[in-house]
Amino acid sequence: MHQSPSYDIESIRKKIPLLSRFVPMNNCSQSPQMDITRAAAEEYLESWGRDGMDWERWMGEVETSRVSFSRLINASPDEVSICVSVSQATSSVASALDFSGSRRKVAVTEGEFPTVGHVWKAQERHGAELTWVPAQDGIIPLDGYDHILNEETQIVSACHGYYQSGFKQDLSEIVTKARAVGALVYVDAYQTLGTCALDVKELDLDFLTTGNLKFLMGIPGIAFLYVKPSVAERLEPTITGWGGRENPFAFDLKDLTWAPVARRFDTGTPPIFEAFVARAAMDFLYEVGLDAIQDWTETLSRALIEGGKARGLRLLGSDDPAQKAPTTAFLVPGDSHLIEEKLRAKGILASARGPAIRLAPHFYSTLEDVETALNVLEKILYSEDR
Ligand SMILES: Cc1ncc(COP(=O)(O)O)c(C=O)c1O
């Protein structure tokens, strides 16, 4: 096991002020502020305060964030739509699909974040029929898809990383299974992007979405949606707005001409402030290197899994670091939120979900951070402190 990553982690840690007070292990929920993301937020506030408005520069920043996101997934900027949340991105995609024919089934994994399931469920009134790919102990076994997918399946909705256990699905296997029945593939990569290289072209995904505040080191209010060009060209989302027009600045009330490729999924005034922050954070991660981040976060996962086992903690999900996002979830007795609070009081930021405490380090975390977090968790769980 390496003791440090291939990049200069010490200089990176100096850019994260929160590290002087806490051990942040809550990236599965909200990442810490970096000095560069704060500076990007201040850049917008400065511009707004000083100039009143500067649409050209602000919209330019939105376009730059589109470019920054597209290179993280090996897409071109036109193949990326800027959204405000994963809920909105998923709703926009769902609104463009036709469930009135024989392909009315949506295969949804039981590992999805609830919002994605809710969006698909809301399509039942338009004829969609949901079929559930089962999750077992925080893992979604691949053969679960075989029993669910058939010629009536229009789309498979799968998360890359499971928010509750950190389990990471093998997307290429899912695409192969979906293609065998002629279905589209929709991927929610919120819990993995920023921690690994992901190539939408090589994987042949139809849709991929993520928000920005978890492992992409950003803030709420902006999300990105990749749409494969050949699929985008035949879709017309009914969740739309002037941003989805071929020429939004024509301000033509009666003309619905669709923008080419994924831009047709844009809706209203984009999240400008958030785009400033998102761009700065994504460019930083790209410079650090996604392969190097994956390598290091797998080392951190191994330390969490082995350290947890040594302390008798019960893991939820896979114990193979290659099958995980950086999130490691431990099942805890009683109220997990109370344990989250106790961890915070002792300097560890963790995230409770259901019966589990999630420890989610990232590229700036050290093996000492992992050790400290596990020691504190062990003390809280096993001592009179409980
Ligand atoms: C995997 C995943 N998808 C979606 C969401 C939420 O999406 P949004 O609030 O942007 O709609 C979360 C939030 O935790 C998540 O973990």
Side-chain angles (χ1 to χ4, degrees):
M1 189 149 82
H2 340 282
Q3 292 303 304
S4 56
S6 58
Y7 44 84
D8 180 359
I9 193 168
E10 279 317 314
S11 74
I12 286 173
R13 286 174 71 85
K14 290 194 184 105
K15 298 177 192 299
I16 303 176
L18 194 68
L19 288 174
S20 64
R21 293 187 298 119
F22 286 106
V23 176
M25 287 272 167
N26 57 330
N27 284 274
C28 53
S29 184
Q30 169 67 64
S31 53
Q33 190 182 92
M34 292 189 288
D35 56 8
I36 52 153
T37 42
R38 187 182 185 101
E42 282 167 357
E43 220 180 301
Y44 170 73
L45 294 175
E46 262 296 302
S47 161
W48 181 27
R50 186 187 57 238
D51 304 322
M53 68 180 181
D54 188 348
W55 287 110
E56 202 168 313
R57 163 142 191 252
W58 296 351
M59 294 305 269
E61 196 68 26
V62 171
E63 289 312 312
T64 310
S65 76
R66 205 187 298 263
V67 174
S68 300
F69 178 75
S70 65
R71 68 177 183 167
L72 288 183
I73 58 167
N74 190 31
S76 79
D78 277 351
E79 295 163 357
V80 170
S81 166
I82 295 186
C83 303
V84 295
S85 65
V86 166
S87 307
Q88 182 247 301
T90 316
S91 295
S92 294
V93 169
S95 81
L97 301 179
D98 179 3
F99 296 107
S100 64
S102 57
R103 281 220 182 243
R104 56 180 62 225
K105 290 193 176 157
V106 183
V108 190
T109 73
E110 286 180 343
E112 302 300 297
F113 188 80
T115 203
V116 174
H118 298 168
V119 169
W120 293 123
K121 228 174 145 39
Q123 309 311 312
E124 285 175 345
R125 81 173 64 150
H126 302 301
E129 223 175 274
L130 267 60
T131 51
W132 296 95
V133 180
Q136 286 163 17
D137 302 323
I139 290 174
I140 300 155
L142 265 175
D143 59 7
Y145 288 87
D146 300 332
H147 307 299
I148 299 296
L149 303 193
N150 60 37
E151 306 295 323
E152 294 174 353
T153 308
Q154 178 164 177
I155 189 163
V156 177
S157 176
C159 45
H160 188 206
Y162 184 9
Y163 78 98
Q164 198 168 28
S165 67
F167 173 65
K168 194 153 88 175
Q169 301 205 81
D170 184 338
L171 294 178
S172 62
E173 289 280 357
I174 295 170
V175 172
T176 303
K177 288 177 188 297
R179 295 292 180 250
V181 296
L184 296 165
V185 178
Y186 180 86
V187 170
D188 172 356
Y190 211 154
Q191 290 290 339
T192 53
L193 271 182
T195 71
C196 55
L198 200 154
D199 186 329
V200 287
K201 297 292 162 70
E202 197 179 299
L203 286 165
D204 191 29
L205 300 182
D206 299 299
F207 307 95
L208 176 134
T209 188
T210 181
N212 211 254
L213 64 147
K214 303 183 193 294
F215 295 96
L216 284 178
M217 301 295 287
I219 54 174
I222 188 165
F224 298 91
L225 168 68
Y226 161 79
V227 189
K228 184 178 174 177
S230 59
V231 174
E233 295 300 351
R234 55 186 161 87
L235 296 181
E236 296 184 351
T238 59
I239 292 180
T240 189
W242 62 296
R245 304 287 72 76
E246 187 177 37
N247 179 8
F249 296 97
F251 297 111
D252 187 339
L253 174 63
K254 296 183 182 172
D255 182 14
L256 195 62
T257 307
W258 296 93
V261 205
R263 284 174 187 269
R264 64 184 51 199
F265 284 86
D266 286 9
T267 54
T269 306
I272 291 168
F273 175 66
E274 294 81 357
F276 271 75
V277 177
R279 185 263 307 149
M282 291 189 295
D283 288 352
F284 187 79
L285 290 169
Y286 188 79
E287 292 310 323
V288 173
L290 293 166
D291 286 331
I293 293 175
Q294 175 165 2
D295 193 44
W296 181 238
T297 51
E298 283 186 9
T299 298
L300 297 171
S301 278
R302 193 168 297 112
L304 276 165
I305 292 164
E306 287 172 7
K309 266 188 199 156
R311 289 167 175 84
L313 301 177
R314 276 201 305 142
L315 185 73
L316 175 67
S318 173
D319 64 0
D320 175 0
Q323 283 195 352
K324 279 174 74 282
T327 306
T328 298
F330 293 111
L331 291 165
V332 292
D335 182 351
S336 59
H337 290 273
L338 201 64
I339 293 170
E340 179 188 311
E341 272 174 38
K342 288 185 175 179
L343 282 163
R344 173 182 272 274
K346 293 185 184 300
I348 312 294
L349 298 182
S351 173
R353 265 302 167 272
I357 278 288
R358 301 178 297 172
L359 296 178
H362 200 355
F363 68 114
Y364 57 81
S365 308
T366 61
L367 288 169
E368 293 73 43
D369 289 342
V370 166
E371 198 63 13
T372 307
L374 285 172
N375 284 342
V376 175
L377 180 60
E378 179 184 28
K379 211 162 164 206
I380 291 171
L381 290 178
Y382 297 135
S383 77
E384 71 292 346
D385 241 9
R386 277 202 65 216

